[in-house]
Amino acid sequence: MSQQKVALLGVPVDHNSTYLQGAAIAPQRIREAIHCDSSNMWSELGVDLGDNPQWIDMGDLVFPNNDRQQTSQIIRSSADELIKRGERLLSLGGDHSVSFPLIDAHAMHYDGLNILHIDAHADLYDNMDNNPLSHASPFARLMETGRIRRLLQVGIRTLNGHQREQAEKFGVEIIEMKDWSDDHQISFDGPVYMSIDLDGLDPAFAPGVSHHEPGGLSSRQVINIIHKFAGDLIGADIVELNPNRDINNMTAMVAARLAKETLARMISK
Ligand code: MN
Ligand code: MN
């Protein structure tokens, strides 16, 4: 009898990024930060992640070329295979385009899947730069499948008219950053996939991202959300670290902390 594990999976893709490249080297940097000797392997939740058989690092996916459809297919089928084996995935991006195939693979296995999405951006564009798989559109593609029960977005502070219309059309629930308060209780019925775009944090906390949007969440606020939201966390991703823009690996360390807290929550459920 195999015990259900959490699998850490790197998804080194940045060719669907509209503004800057760099996120493809992020998975390795986050992995190094997770194991950095400046800290230890304990989660705040009291779980020791060091030499813990309940999670396993699967390394990075390998892509033969930059073909967008093929890349998306490889992500989808790799996730599908791991989920079928009974593993829970924590994926490290990559730009946010990776979340469409990742989450859709989960939605095929988990009926009534909910999504908790932390980001400065709603990523609901119908079409940006004539690339339907752009990192500006993953949540539009997901909602079009009809397989998502609820999409709740937190930290959003860049809505334009088009994205408000898209949110309305798909019934997306948005807690805009301007309306956020720390006593807001987030809760879901059933399975939850959590997608964290690091630019949801304020650039003061996470400078190593491609899109700096002032007025965002603190590291503490995001950690608290991971710890406290109600629901069954069945999968997650942390995306959009751009190491080329980072300062002293600060943002890689933030990503590593969020990864540790997420792993601990997925393990200790
Ligand atoms: Mn995003
Ligand atoms: Mn973003």
Side-chain angles (χ1 to χ4, degrees), residues 133-151:
L133 297 175
S134 160
H135 75 155
S137 301
F139 295 92
R141 298 294 87 82
L142 281 162
M143 296 314 281
E144 287 162 0
T145 67
R147 285 190 282 271
I148 304 303
R149 181 198 276 174
R150 276 180 74 196
L151 168 58

Side-chain angles (χ1 to χ4, degrees), residues 29-31 33-36 38-47 49 90 92 194 196 198 201 219-220 222-224 226-227 238 249-265:
R29 296 297 175 84
I30 299 172
R31 202 176 268 120
I34 287 173
H35 296 284
C36 179
S38 76
S39 188
N40 62 48
M41 292 298 286
W42 285 75
S43 151
E44 291 183 9
L45 295 172
V47 176
L49 297 165
L90 169 57
L92 305 176
M194 178 177 69
I196 301 179
L198 290 163
L201 284 89
S219 307
R220 186 71 255 161
V222 177
I223 292 167
N224 286 350
I226 295 170
H227 288 167
I238 299 171
N249 291 328
M250 276 172 68
T251 315
M253 290 303 285
V254 170
R257 169 52 55 196
L258 302 182
K260 285 175 181 173
E261 299 310 316
T262 304
L263 280 173
R265 175 162 174 166

